[in-house]
Amino acid sequence: MITVTFVSNDGKIVEAPETSNLLRVSLRENGGIPFKCGGGICGICKCRIERGREHADAIKPKERKHLTEAELAEGWRMACQTFVEGDVSVSWPPQSP
């Protein structure tokens, strides 16, 4: 099992199986990552892996459509497209009402 920390949700910590999709973990465990489509089309699930970037899989083409190279270098990913193999801490920008 791996540990996922949802920094923007008061630091909520959950366990998940290895090779877990970040958005699926968030949905199952009420992690709080914002989403709309879940398929890489809308870009709403943009999040930043603050710790454990080395545990994320390769960047997908759909992520490159929504994120700049600079954002990717800073650890920003799309939760619906990202699978993790080890412990990570993730945050996301506040959503406007």
Side-chain angles (χ1 to χ4, degrees), residues 8 34 76 91-97:
S8 299
W76 290 94
S91 64
W92 52 91
Q95 297 296 302
S96 51

PDB file of all heavy atoms in Angstrom, residues 8 34 76 91-97:
ATOM      1  N   SER A   8      -4.312  20.020   0.380  1.00  0.00           N
ATOM      2  CA  SER A   8      -5.353  21.050   0.317  1.00  0.00           C
ATOM      3  C   SER A   8      -6.642  20.660   1.032  1.00  0.00           C
ATOM      4  O   SER A   8      -7.570  21.460   1.110  1.00  0.00           O
ATOM      5  CB  SER A   8      -5.659  21.404  -1.141  1.00  0.00           C
ATOM      6  OG  SER A   8      -4.511  21.920  -1.775  1.00  0.00           O
ATOM      7  N   PRO A  34     -10.604  18.640  -7.157  1.00  0.00           N
ATOM      8  CA  PRO A  34     -11.722  19.043  -8.023  1.00  0.00           C
ATOM      9  C   PRO A  34     -11.672  18.282  -9.356  1.00  0.00           C
ATOM     10  O   PRO A  34     -10.590  17.992  -9.867  1.00  0.00           O
ATOM     11  CB  PRO A  34     -11.493  20.539  -8.254  1.00  0.00           C
ATOM     12  CG  PRO A  34     -10.433  20.953  -7.305  1.00  0.00           C
ATOM     13  CD  PRO A  34      -9.686  19.726  -6.894  1.00  0.00           C
ATOM     14  N   TRP A  76       3.188  19.975 -11.476  1.00  0.00           N
ATOM     15  CA  TRP A  76       1.756  19.995 -11.775  1.00  0.00           C
ATOM     16  C   TRP A  76       1.412  18.837 -12.689  1.00  0.00           C
ATOM     17  O   TRP A  76       2.144  18.514 -13.628  1.00  0.00           O
ATOM     18  CB  TRP A  76       1.367  21.316 -12.434  1.00  0.00           C
ATOM     19  CG  TRP A  76       1.430  22.465 -11.491  1.00  0.00           C
ATOM     20  CD1 TRP A  76       2.477  23.320 -11.304  1.00  0.00           C
ATOM     21  CD2 TRP A  76       0.417  22.865 -10.575  1.00  0.00           C
ATOM     22  NE1 TRP A  76       2.176  24.236 -10.332  1.00  0.00           N
ATOM     23  CE2 TRP A  76       0.913  23.980  -9.861  1.00  0.00           C
ATOM     24  CE3 TRP A  76      -0.854  22.388 -10.275  1.00  0.00           C
ATOM     25  CZ2 TRP A  76       0.174  24.615  -8.875  1.00  0.00           C
ATOM     26  CZ3 TRP A  76      -1.582  23.026  -9.301  1.00  0.00           C
ATOM     27  CH2 TRP A  76      -1.074  24.130  -8.610  1.00  0.00           C
ATOM     28  N   SER A  91      -1.478  18.800  -3.797  1.00  0.00           N
ATOM     29  CA  SER A  91      -2.292  19.978  -3.495  1.00  0.00           C
ATOM     30  C   SER A  91      -2.908  20.461  -4.798  1.00  0.00           C
ATOM     31  O   SER A  91      -2.525  20.025  -5.893  1.00  0.00           O
ATOM     32  CB  SER A  91      -1.429  21.079  -2.863  1.00  0.00           C
ATOM     33  OG  SER A  91      -0.456  21.528  -3.775  1.00  0.00           O
ATOM     34  N   TRP A  92      -3.848  21.384  -4.696  1.00  0.00           N
ATOM     35  CA  TRP A  92      -4.508  21.936  -5.879  1.00  0.00           C
ATOM     36  C   TRP A  92      -4.923  23.363  -5.583  1.00  0.00           C
ATOM     37  O   TRP A  92      -5.086  23.758  -4.436  1.00  0.00           O
ATOM     38  CB  TRP A  92      -5.703  21.078  -6.306  1.00  0.00           C
ATOM     39  CG  TRP A  92      -6.668  20.813  -5.193  1.00  0.00           C
ATOM     40  CD1 TRP A  92      -7.772  21.557  -4.859  1.00  0.00           C
ATOM     41  CD2 TRP A  92      -6.619  19.730  -4.258  1.00  0.00           C
ATOM     42  NE1 TRP A  92      -8.401  20.999  -3.778  1.00  0.00           N
ATOM     43  CE2 TRP A  92      -7.715  19.877  -3.382  1.00  0.00           C
ATOM     44  CE3 TRP A  92      -5.748  18.661  -4.060  1.00  0.00           C
ATOM     45  CZ2 TRP A  92      -7.958  18.997  -2.341  1.00  0.00           C
ATOM     46  CZ3 TRP A  92      -5.997  17.785  -3.023  1.00  0.00           C
ATOM     47  CH2 TRP A  92      -7.089  17.947  -2.184  1.00  0.00           C
ATOM     48  N   PRO A  93      -5.109  24.141  -6.669  1.00  0.00           N
ATOM     49  CA  PRO A  93      -5.503  25.551  -6.458  1.00  0.00           C
ATOM     50  C   PRO A  93      -6.939  25.633  -5.941  1.00  0.00           C
ATOM     51  O   PRO A  93      -7.759  24.778  -6.285  1.00  0.00           O
ATOM     52  CB  PRO A  93      -5.366  26.179  -7.844  1.00  0.00           C
ATOM     53  CG  PRO A  93      -5.266  25.068  -8.806  1.00  0.00           C
ATOM     54  CD  PRO A  93      -4.896  23.821  -8.058  1.00  0.00           C
ATOM     55  N   PRO A  94      -7.237  26.653  -5.152  1.00  0.00           N
ATOM     56  CA  PRO A  94      -8.620  26.812  -4.681  1.00  0.00           C
ATOM     57  C   PRO A  94      -9.545  27.065  -5.866  1.00  0.00           C
ATOM     58  O   PRO A  94      -9.167  27.735  -6.832  1.00  0.00           O
ATOM     59  CB  PRO A  94      -8.566  28.028  -3.755  1.00  0.00           C
ATOM     60  CG  PRO A  94      -7.194  28.583  -3.856  1.00  0.00           C
ATOM     61  CD  PRO A  94      -6.349  27.673  -4.666  1.00  0.00           C
ATOM     62  N   GLN A  95     -10.739  26.515  -5.805  1.00  0.00           N
ATOM     63  CA  GLN A  95     -11.726  26.700  -6.863  1.00  0.00           C
ATOM     64  C   GLN A  95     -12.563  27.931  -6.577  1.00  0.00           C
ATOM     65  O   GLN A  95     -12.962  28.162  -5.444  1.00  0.00           O
ATOM     66  CB  GLN A  95     -12.638  25.472  -6.971  1.00  0.00           C
ATOM     67  CG  GLN A  95     -11.888  24.203  -7.350  1.00  0.00           C
ATOM     68  CD  GLN A  95     -11.269  24.279  -8.724  1.00  0.00           C
ATOM     69  OE1 GLN A  95     -11.962  24.487  -9.701  1.00  0.00           O
ATOM     70  NE2 GLN A  95      -9.956  24.138  -8.793  1.00  0.00           N
ATOM     71  N   SER A  96     -12.818  28.710  -7.621  1.00  0.00           N
ATOM     72  CA  SER A  96     -13.681  29.873  -7.436  1.00  0.00           C
ATOM     73  C   SER A  96     -15.130  29.413  -7.348  1.00  0.00           C
ATOM     74  O   SER A  96     -15.518  28.457  -8.008  1.00  0.00           O
ATOM     75  CB  SER A  96     -13.474  30.868  -8.562  1.00  0.00           C
ATOM     76  OG  SER A  96     -13.574  30.231  -9.812  1.00  0.00           O
ATOM     77  N   PRO A  97     -15.929  30.105  -6.542  1.00  0.00           N
ATOM     78  CA  PRO A  97     -17.332  29.683  -6.339  1.00  0.00           C
ATOM     79  C   PRO A  97     -18.181  29.801  -7.572  1.00  0.00           C
ATOM     80  O   PRO A  97     -17.926  30.410  -8.507  1.00  0.00           O
ATOM     81  CB  PRO A  97     -17.849  30.618  -5.250  1.00  0.00           C
ATOM     82  CG  PRO A  97     -16.780  31.598  -4.968  1.00  0.00           C
ATOM     83  CD  PRO A  97     -15.576  31.233  -5.753  1.00  0.00           C
TER      84      PRO A  97
END
